């Protein structure tokens, strides 16, 4: 079964106007999504400023609704030439607006608005006569109602005209005449740009809309393909100052039959990014979350999101052990991958996850990684059924994530029932109902919120499935046997022939631990720091333990740095420089990664590494490398203290990271201790600089969030002592 990965965790260009009912389309097949504009361009009064403003409105509206995404693009009907009331009625009749169906209909209405003595609102036309509004103008509510009472499943109308707030009572009355079933099953929304007695400034709406468009493409970080009405209104209003200006120009919602927080297909997200990782592990089953690229980042050792290289090398013995654990030839059902901070635990686990995913196996990136290594170090396709990241998650979140990754929906606990107990029991039931081997990877256990409880209450009950398979049960190779009576030994509940019985669980767990003294056994650690690893060994007495920070890993680090330096560096020079770096930073791959990034493009990396200041910097680890990178970005226009504050804000963020929007600037300003007007500009510089390699991104609450790439970096940033002891940047 292919891996299902679970973790807790742009855009429109030129405008293409298309006729929604062009001759080459079948008239009885409505377009899925349609944009109609009803804009009066020229009142023949010589007001060129007004005409230019209306054109600007149409430009930004059509640009927004040209945004690309996974859904069908909007059919954009050309704006009609409007002179008289007949032109409006002809447009609605010829385009079949009242009978228009499809997934979404958006109608944008703009022009001069008129207020009648009856408090009715009218759209003024060039041929309108002031004292004959009923005959020569168009009642705006009738235009809106035509869209609302169409057959489209979702409707959004935006009216940008003077005194549009007066539509409220008229629309309330007309809305009641819409069929009950339509009102209850369709999402119908109407927004206006001003109140009852307010005129509009013709260029104000496009200015605010263009500002919202820019924010959504840069710092808003909304990750859904479509926006909710609430998100749309909030981003629009972010361009307004508080006080009278906000009251004068904010959007008002006159009809609301949808949830303000639920994305609507009527509003495409112009900042939507389809992450290429989404087509990788787990995506075929819908239970995974690879959008943050966590597993691919860790497996490849890449330093930027869009990097297509695979840099991690070596680890042959360790990779062979993981492969035999997953392919059914290893007797023990639990393998603990442990080591000191930054020593590559997650890289080894992520490699197994990614290379076991059938969707990735034939892609060039993975083929390049597998064709140059022994076959015995590559996990079989589908050997990882579920992979979960426990970082910053509690026991209930980890249990629920495991269920989802295994294709189960977490059951609703009873009112007084502990969710952990409920979902742990569901996990056991699920595994008892499965046959054959099930591979599960859980990484970041030491970074979880309730590590001990995850071990005892979530993982502990799974011990019965971590059976040591007899040689005749092993698939594809020789197996070892556990001692009779050993927890996890065969109990007769399975079948040697692979017949019905509970699942055989191959559990891979990643957990940090201190490196033991040289004289101590390789699978132990000092008494003062034995907590979590000891608890795991007590829970799974037959577990194997593999460390990632033995002395042999120096060679692996050197190979990693050599790969990071790339083809632009002379191979002999690259190897020599990498060896020097590896000896200095061992056992930290994270330090090696940062050093390799700094040496990229260096004309003589060996000379650089031999410099006393560079040796001193490497001796400081992450702290020293970060200080140097801060100094380098300062030369490019990003002040070191500002960059440091932004990185610290990401380190202090709870959950999966910090969203850009208004939160990241606010946190960074507090940490910086002084005001700064151009935070968005500074964040753009940060993400476009070498410091982007210090961050990874994720999705939380439908927003893109940022956090440091590794816990060791988080610890350095949270300490707040980077510039102490005379250090400067």
């Amino acid at each position: 079964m292919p891996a299902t990965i679970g973790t807790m965790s742009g855009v429109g260009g030129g405008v293409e106007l298309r006729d929604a009912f062009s001759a080459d389309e079948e008239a009885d097949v409505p377009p899925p999504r349609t944009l109609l504009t009803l804009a009066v361009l020229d009142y023949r009064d010589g007001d060129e400023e007004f005409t230019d403003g209306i054109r600007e409105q149409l430009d930004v509206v059509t640009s927004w609704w040209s945004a690309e995404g996974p859904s069908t693009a909007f059919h954009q009907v050309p704006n009609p030439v409007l002179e008289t009331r007949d032109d409006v009625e002809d447009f609605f009749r010829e385009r079949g607006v009242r009978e228009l169906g499809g997934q979404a209909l958006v109608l944008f209405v703009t022009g001069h608005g008129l207020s009648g003595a009856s408090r009715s609102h009218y759209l003024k036309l060039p041929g309108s006569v002031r004292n004959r509004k009923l005959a020569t103008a168009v009642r705006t509510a009738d235009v809106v109602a035509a869209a609302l009472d169409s057959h489209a499943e979702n409707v959004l109308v935006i009216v940008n005209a003077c005194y549009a707030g007066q539509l409220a009572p008229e629309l309330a009355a007309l809305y009641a005449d819409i069929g009950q079933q339509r009102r209850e099953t369709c999402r119908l929304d109407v927004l206006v740009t001003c109140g009852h007695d307010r005129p509009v400034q013709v260029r104000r709406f496009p200015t605010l809309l263009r500002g919202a468009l820019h924010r959504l493409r840069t710092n808003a970080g909304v990750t859904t393909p479509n926006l909710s009405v609430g998100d749309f209104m909030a981003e629009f209003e972010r361009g307004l100052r508080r006080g009278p200006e906000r009251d004068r120009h904010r959007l008002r919602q006159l009809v609301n039959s949808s949830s303000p927080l639920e994305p609507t297909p009527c509003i495409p997200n112009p900042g939507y990014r389809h992450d290429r990782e989404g087509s990788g592990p787990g995506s075929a089953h819908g239970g995974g979350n690879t959008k943050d690229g966590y597993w691919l980042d860790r497996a490849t050792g890449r330093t930027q999101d869009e990097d297509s290289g695979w840099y991690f090398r070596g680890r042959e013995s360790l990779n062979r052990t993981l492969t035999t654990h997953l392919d059914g030839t290893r007797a023990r059902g639990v393998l603990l991958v442990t080591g000191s901070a930054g020593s590559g635990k997650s890289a080894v686990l992520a490699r197994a996850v990614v290379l076991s995913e059938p969707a990735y196996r034939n892609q060039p990136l993975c083929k390049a990684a597998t064709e140059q290594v022994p076959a015995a170090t590559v996990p079989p396709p589908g050997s990882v059924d579920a992979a979960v990241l426990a970082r910053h998650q509690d026991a209930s979140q980890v249990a629920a994530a495991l269920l989802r990754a295994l294709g189960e929906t977490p059951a609703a606990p009873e009112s007084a029932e502990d969710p952990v107990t409920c979902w742990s029991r569901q996990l056991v039931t699920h595994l008892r109902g499965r046959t054959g081997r099930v591979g599960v990877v859980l990484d970041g256990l030491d970074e979880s919120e309730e590590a001990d409880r995850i071990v005892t209450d979530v993982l502990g009950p799974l011990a019965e499935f971590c059976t040591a398979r007899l040689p005749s049960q092993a698939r594809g190779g020789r197996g070892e046997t556990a001692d009779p009576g050993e927890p996890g030994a065969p109990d007769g509940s399975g079948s040697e022939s692979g017949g019905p019985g509970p699942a055989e669980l191959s559990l891979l767990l990643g957990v940090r631990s201190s490196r033991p003294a040289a004289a101590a056994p390789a699978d132990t650690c000092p008494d003062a720091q034995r907590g979590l690893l000891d608890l795991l060994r007590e829970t799974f007495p037959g577990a194997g333990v593999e460390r990632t920070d033995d002395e042999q890993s120096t060679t692996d680090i050197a190979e990693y740095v050599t790969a990071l330096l790339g083809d632009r560096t002379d191979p002999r020079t690259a190897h020599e420089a990498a060896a020097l770096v590896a000896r200095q930073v061992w056992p930290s791959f994270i330090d090696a990664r940062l050093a390799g990034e700094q040496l990229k493009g260096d004309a003589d990396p060996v000379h650089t590494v031999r410099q006393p200041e560079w040796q001193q910097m490497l001796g400081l680890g992450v702290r020293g490398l970060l200080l140097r990178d801060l100094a380098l970005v300062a030369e490019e226009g990003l002040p070191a203290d500002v960059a440091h504050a932004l990185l610290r804000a990401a380190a202090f963020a709870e959950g999966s990271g910090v969203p850009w929007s208004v939160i990241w600037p606010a946190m960074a300003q507090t940490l910086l201790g002084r005001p700064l007007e151009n935070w968005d500009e500074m964040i753009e510089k940060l993400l476009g600089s070498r410091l982007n390699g210090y961050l990874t991104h994720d999705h939380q609450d439908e927003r893109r969030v940022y956090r440091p790439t590794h816990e060791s970096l988080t610890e350095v940033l949270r300490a707040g002592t980077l510039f102490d002891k005379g250090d400067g940047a």
Side-chain angles (χ1 to χ4, degrees), residues 566-591:
D567 298 334
R568 291 180 298 177
T569 305
D570 174 73
R572 181 177 300 179
T573 301
H575 283 295
E576 184 177 352
L580 291 170
V581 170
R583 286 198 295 270
Q584 191 76 8
V585 303
W586 176 85
S588 176
F589 277 81
I590 186 65
D591 291 0

Side-chain angles (χ1 to χ4, degrees), residues 18 26 67 69 162 187 198 228 252 296 328 450 508 672 722:
R18 294 184 55 195
E26 296 183 20
C162 300
R187 289 185 288 185
R198 295 285 186 183
S228 68
R252 291 159 172 81
L296 193 58
E450 296 180 304
L508 278 172
L672 182 63
L722 190 65

Side-chain angles (χ1 to χ4, degrees), residues 176-209:
D177 288 336
I178 296 175
Q180 181 180 356
Q181 183 179 6
R182 179 165 178 77
R183 284 187 279 114
E184 293 177 351
T185 60
C186 299
R187 289 185 288 185
L188 310 175
D189 297 282
V190 179
L191 303 177
V192 298
T193 60
C194 64
H196 288 67
D197 54 357
R198 295 285 186 183
V200 296
Q201 299 174 14
V202 70
R203 293 188 183 273
R204 193 59 174 146
F205 175 78
T207 299
L208 292 170
L209 195 61

